Amino acid sequence: FVILWAGVNRRRKMIPAAFEAVAKFAKRTKAQKILFWVHSYRVPDTPSYDLQALADHYELRNLDVMTINTERLPDAAVPLMLASADVGISPSGGEGFGLIPLEAAACRGPFFVTAYTGQIEAVPAIVKDVPDNFLHIPPKAIIPQEGNIICWAWADTDILAERLEAYWSEPKLRTKLKRACFEWAQKF
């Protein structure tokens, strides 16, 4: 089961929430084969997260395979990366439009996103026979940024882990969401 987090390594991306949710999912399901693929590159002179330290903190080294790629991928490789994942997660604290979730949807890969951000436009809210807003993870906390009028959201990692578990354990749900996301992406 391949879970993907992809994006620029910046503070507002709330990467620790992704690590925390995957750790909770792994403990809840005791899934035998989980690949947590983190594709993230840094922007020079920008505050970022130490991904190795996060993996150690959330004890994700116990997964069968964990790959952290910190090099920027060539554009042609992005669809291959997105198509290889079973599901993507983006518990970002603040986004404009969710280009990576939309690109993943075009590759038949659903993405869970924080409901507080503009990413919700990139994934369908309503899927027949699936609870409304299933792919939209509500924020657990809104975090004001010092000296800034913008607030960031911290995704509810318990809900994200629960929904990952449902997605992992229910093949019919996976099929419905993959189809719905692909159809949603065709509108853009």
Side-chain angles (χ1 to χ4, degrees), residues 6-7 24 30 44 62 65 72 88 93 101 110 117 123-125 170-171:
K24 289 177 179 180
K30 299 188 179 12
N62 298 335
V65 180
R72 188 177 178 109
T117 69
V123 296
E170 299 175 31

Side-chain angles (χ1 to χ4, degrees), residues 5-187:
W5 184 96
V8 178
N9 185 346
R10 290 190 173 147
R11 294 288 183 182
R12 73 176 165 83
K13 300 292 186 169
M14 301 296 178
I15 299 171
F19 281 75
E20 183 177 309
V22 169
K24 289 177 179 180
F25 165 74
K27 287 177 184 166
R28 290 171 60 96
T29 61
K30 299 188 179 12
Q32 295 299 308
K33 300 282 183 187
I34 299 174
L35 168 60
F36 182 35
W37 186 10
V38 178
H39 174 72
S40 180
Y41 60 91
R42 285 191 69 242
V43 175
D45 303 320
T46 303
S48 60
Y49 293 102
D50 180 337
L51 302 178
Q52 298 294 337
L54 284 173
D56 291 338
H57 176 76
Y58 289 107
E59 299 176 355
L60 289 174
R61 299 278 180 212
N62 298 335
L63 299 181
D64 276 348
V65 180
M66 178 168 175
T67 303
I68 296 177
N69 177 16
T70 56
E71 300 298 319
R72 188 177 178 109
L73 288 178
D75 289 345
V78 172
L80 298 172
M81 173 190 67
L82 296 171
S84 69
D86 291 299
V87 67
I89 58 175
S90 181
S92 181
E95 294 290 334
F97 183 76
L99 190 56
I100 291 174
L102 186 61
E103 289 175 329
C107 297
R108 298 189 187 274
F111 246 80
F112 289 97
V113 299
T114 308
Y116 184 75
T117 69
Q119 294 183 104
I120 61 172
E121 297 173 22
V123 296
I126 309 297
V127 177
K128 186 179 179 191
D129 300 324
V130 175
D132 289 355
N133 298 308
F134 187 79
L135 293 170
H136 301 172
I137 305 304
K140 183 183 251 182
I142 306 298
I143 307 162
Q145 298 306 298
E146 188 175 320
N148 199 328
I149 60 169
I150 297 172
C151 293
W152 292 344
W154 182 267
D156 190 320
T157 57
D158 290 323
I159 292 174
L160 179 52
E162 288 170 12
R163 292 186 185 171
L164 281 170
E165 180 180 7
Y167 183 81
W168 170 75
S169 65
E170 299 175 31
K172 288 182 181 179
L173 175 64
R174 280 197 303 275
T175 300
K176 287 178 189 176
L177 288 172
K178 285 182 178 196
R179 186 179 316 116
C181 286
F182 180 73
E183 290 170 2
W184 182 261
Q186 303 313 302
K187 297 176 183 179

